[in-house]
Amino acid sequence: MNAAEFRKRGKEMVDYVADYMEGIHGRQVYPDVEPGYLRPLIPDSAPQEPETFENIMKDIEKIIMPGVTHWHSPYFFAYFPTASSYPAMLADMLSGAIGCIGFSWTASPACTELETVMLDWLGKMVNLPEAFLAGRDGEGGGVIQGSASEATLVALLAARTKVIRQLQAKSPGLTEGAIMDKLVAYASDQSHSSVERAGLIGGVKLKMIPSDDKFSLRGPALQKILEEDKAAGLIPFFVVATLGTTPCCSFDNLLELGPICNKENIWMHIDAAYAGSAFICPEFQHFLNGVEFADSYNFNPHKWLLVNFDCSAMWVKKRADLIGAFKLDPLYLQHHNQESGLVTDYRHWQIPLGRRFRSLKMWFVFRMYGVKGLQAYIRKHVKLSHEFESLVRQDSRFEICAEVVLGLVCFRIKGSNELNETLLERINKTKKIHLVPCHLQDKFVLRFAICSRTVESIHIQEAWQHITELAAELLKEGKEQKMN
């Protein structure tokens, strides 16, 4: 493909993407395929001779689209949103064209420096303390990770390295293995499974602390387990506090947890993967009260801030803590500016070496929407979630299972877990809308997340009508079975 054909095919692809996005509401949100559907549809090996672009595009609709779950459909209410916008798509195209691997400043100065500035922009948008910003001479700063899972793991590994070095400095005879055996990390029982995975990869014990009746991790619960573990000779070193938990969007109490972590010299990492985008709105920034106690903070613009995956924003108060854990400097990666103090080499802030020019997506989105446009987008989703909450509350057959704060509603039919499992099974089997469940206090609960950029009130109303129709059928069947 030469430049002339690229121009032609590129325009065709833009038209295809625009048509797909404009017509996505007419596609079935969840596919009608079974595992293994795709292999019989394509050859066993790659073609020896080139194929035409036209034939490939025909196969997109014939082979790929039948197996796509349409995450950006206005009838997709599962998981949490994954962001998508035209400015971000265009920026991704440019990133692919530039094709730099920005592991160091010298590998592409613009790739490194734009990322640093964009993380400062975003930090200011959510009103992070100055200590987390790079500025011109700050000790902190931000970095784009691939996901919140990576950010949690990076923070845990940095905290682990820091505490090991501190203890060995005090007691040079202590081996790393002896310390590792006693290290303990903590998180709420509502935290994401990626936190547990970080503990597994990091080779440390991870303890889940029971949350309160509002599914929030509180200070007294943390203090109690810390005292027990210290008395048993263990070494608490890392706490993950969550803002906007995956099951029900609950918020851990930073103002209680933070001072305890600071007093005990424990690294506190804040995972705000979903909820963090909402903090660009002043009315939601109170959830960040206590962030000043944290060592690291993370959320995903690729969830709710119109920046396509992947783009997970992570900040640290002291970037030396990350660099100290990950820095390896072979000769072939060194450059004459690295000791100047004026540049950042992001390879020392992450697990992989290579990295894409992801900050272009942020730059395009922030400039083409503006902060006010992004705030309006968040507020619209929150308004729609409260609309759905109101519909649920008006129907005495249903109950709300957790406070509705942002764009997630947790609800269920009043009745057994089996009844709700059957309802969800029927909802997803009809494939008109798509939902996923969670467990809250041993109850099987349905999650209704406002996800799509194009979702409107009419889609909320249609979804609720569909849910209530299926629920009515289910309850009628139950009554008939009892009568028989």
Side-chain angles (χ1 to χ4, degrees), residues 141-153:
V143 58
I144 300 174
Q145 304 287 359
S147 66
S149 304
E150 286 180 39
T152 300
L153 176 59

Side-chain angles (χ1 to χ4, degrees), residues 59-314:
D59 283 346
I60 293 294
E61 283 297 330
K62 180 182 175 183
I63 298 171
I64 302 302
M65 282 300 174
V68 170
T69 300
H70 299 288
W71 280 64
H72 301 291
S73 165
Y75 298 108
F76 183 92
F77 303 104
Y79 311 107
F80 275 133
T82 180
S84 177
S85 68
Y86 295 121
M89 293 180 208
L90 292 173
D92 242 351
M93 183 186 294
L94 178 58
S95 174
I98 292 172
C100 63
I101 310 298
F103 48 75
S104 68
W105 180 86
T106 196
S108 189
C111 179
T112 295
E113 295 197 15
L114 185 63
E115 182 163 336
T116 302
V117 176
M118 287 303 98
L119 269 293
D120 274 2
W121 274 21
L122 186 54
K124 292 173 183 177
M125 286 162 63
V126 299
N127 202 28
L128 278 183
E130 193 76 21
F132 286 101
L133 307 182
R136 296 186 182 276
D137 55 4
E139 294 183 5
V143 58
I144 300 174
Q145 304 287 359
S147 66
S149 304
E150 286 180 39
T152 300
L153 176 59
V154 164
L156 181 142
L157 294 176
R160 188 188 73 179
T161 298
K162 185 176 182 180
V163 72
I164 287 173
R165 289 176 179 172
Q166 287 174 342
L167 291 172
Q168 287 181 326
K170 291 179 182 177
S171 304
L174 273 177
T175 66
E176 183 173 322
I179 297 170
M180 286 279 291
D181 285 342
K182 295 183 178 182
L183 291 180
V184 191
Y186 306 88
S188 160
D189 59 6
Q190 299 298 308
S191 63
H192 194 270
S193 60
S194 61
V195 178
E196 187 173 0
R197 178 177 289 181
L200 288 172
I201 297 172
V204 299
K205 301 178 187 70
L206 178 71
K207 295 191 176 184
M208 298 298 189
I209 305 173
S211 53
D212 67 8
D213 59 351
K214 292 187 177 180
F215 311 105
S216 173
L217 179 58
R218 304 295 300 275
L222 174 62
Q223 189 69 62
K224 179 176 182 291
I225 195 167
L226 291 180
E227 296 301 329
E228 292 172 354
D229 285 351
K230 286 192 297 179
L234 299 176
I235 305 171
F237 82 105
F238 186 70
V239 168
V240 177
T242 305
L243 300 180
T245 60
T246 300
C248 65
C249 198
S250 57
F251 293 80
D252 292 342
N253 194 313
L254 301 185
L255 290 173
E256 292 180 358
L257 302 174
I260 295 171
C261 291
N262 286 186
K263 179 184 175 184
E264 301 286 348
N265 194 30
I266 295 171
W267 183 302
M268 184 168 79
H269 174 70
I270 299 174
D271 173 9
Y274 162 67
S277 295
F279 303 155
I280 66 169
C281 300
E283 64 268 31
F284 298 123
Q285 287 179 359
H286 65 277
F287 288 113
L288 261 181
N289 291 344
V291 69
E292 63 272 15
F293 298 108
D295 297 273
S296 52
Y297 173 72
N298 164 251
F299 80 89
N300 291 342
H302 68 228
K303 272 193 169 66
W304 206 13
L305 211 57
L306 296 173
V307 179
N308 290 49
F309 190 87
D310 58 334
C311 183
S312 185
M314 179 187 185

Side-chain angles (χ1 to χ4, degrees), residues 38-59:
L38 188 142
R39 184 173 289 275
L41 302 179
I42 60 177
D44 285 337
S45 55
Q48 295 297 313
E49 300 295 332
E51 295 188 30
T52 65
F53 184 81
E54 288 90 348
N55 284 345
I56 296 170
M57 289 305 297
K58 287 177 184 176
D59 283 346

